[in-house]
Amino acid sequence: MMLRVGLTGDLGSGKSTVARMLAERDAVVLSSDEMGRALMQPGERAYAQIVEAFGREVVAEDGTLDRKKLAALAFDAKLPRIEELNAIIHPAVIDAQAEQLAELEKTSPHAIVVVESALIFSTQHAPRGSWRDRFDCVLVVDAPEEVKIARFVDRIAAGRALCGDEREGFEADARRRLQVQHATVYPGDCLVLHNDGDVEFLEQQVAVVWEQLQQMERAGGKR
């Protein structure tokens, strides 16, 4: 039977790298971030709700959402509005995932489907019960906090040299976001990958986990 796998981890943990490695092993990967971005486009189900809640100031000149302005409001240090934004996006994304999983179950009944999402455990806005109702197992990607912050800053910089104040600002932004995510306590029955070494070390762990997932699929979703 099709195996439904959740893939999660904090900002900068490396879960997207793990998702890519699993896709290379023939897993079907669904990205919550990509779904969220699609649902936030003009005419899609979350767009109008976001504009109504956050105002026209988050709309760019071309009519799309200005994601930087929206993120600044969501993660504002004095008055964060991230849960307000999550209350709009999360139910729409989870519904879209459920639709895709139902279709995949018909067309690929023995697939291993990986749903990549940072907020599998911490979302308060899931319309379809708990995470255990949505997934057969969950993979958690973990890394030391300073490593996660450095990865976040490097991704934002995109190869550009940063001045001291700019780097400090990005680091502070990363810490604010991690503080929100740190409220999560991961259940003890998750499969954990420790991304605190080089890519080869992570690849070795993914290879072991992939064997476990294949065994679970053959056993009907049971560990």
Side-chain angles (χ1 to χ4, degrees), residues 77 146 149-150 152-154 156-157 160-177:
E146 292 306 315
I149 292 170
F152 173 82
V153 173
D154 288 345
I156 296 296
R160 181 171 58 88
L162 302 175
C163 68
D165 289 345
E166 195 175 17
R167 179 172 292 278
E168 287 179 8
F170 287 144
E171 289 175 349
D173 186 23
R175 293 183 195 281
R176 281 195 297 272
R177 297 181 185 223

Side-chain angles (χ1 to χ4, degrees), residues 30 48 144-145 153:
L30 306 180
E145 181 158 321
V153 173

